[in-house]
Amino acid sequence: MIREHPNIREIREQRGIYQDDLAAAIRFSTKTVGRIERGDSTPSAELCYGFLNTLIYWWKMSSM
């Protein structure tokens, strides 16, 4: 069984980021992001890197 990844969803929701906006920013489909959030799929290193960079960018922009 694949481990759930609720933190991605929690972080996204805490920051008011829509799932489709995150998917577009990291260049993955909304369906893929949803599968990872539900624990139906394991995120690749590429997806994790994109997610981290996107959150850092959005955090820096919101701090200005």
Side-chain angles (χ1 to χ4, degrees):
M1 178 170 212
I2 296 175
R3 184 179 170 271
E4 287 187 35
H5 299 281
N7 291 333
I8 293 174
R9 182 177 183 177
E10 289 172 15
I11 292 167
R12 178 180 61 73
E13 289 178 345
Q14 286 172 357
R15 284 159 180 75
I17 300 167
Y18 293 106
Q19 193 178 64
D20 56 339
D21 292 336
L22 174 61
I26 62 175
R27 297 183 178 148
F28 279 83
S29 70
T30 303
K31 189 174 183 177
T32 298
V33 173
R35 277 185 276 175
I36 291 166
E37 288 183 349
R38 288 188 308 274
D40 295 340
S41 181
T42 301
S44 66
E46 179 185 6
L47 186 137
C48 291
Y49 182 76
F51 179 68
L52 177 62
N53 282 330
T54 299
L55 287 179
I56 290 169
Y57 173 78
W58 284 338
W59 175 74
K60 285 181 179 179
M61 295 304 290
S62 69
S63 299
M64 298 180 122

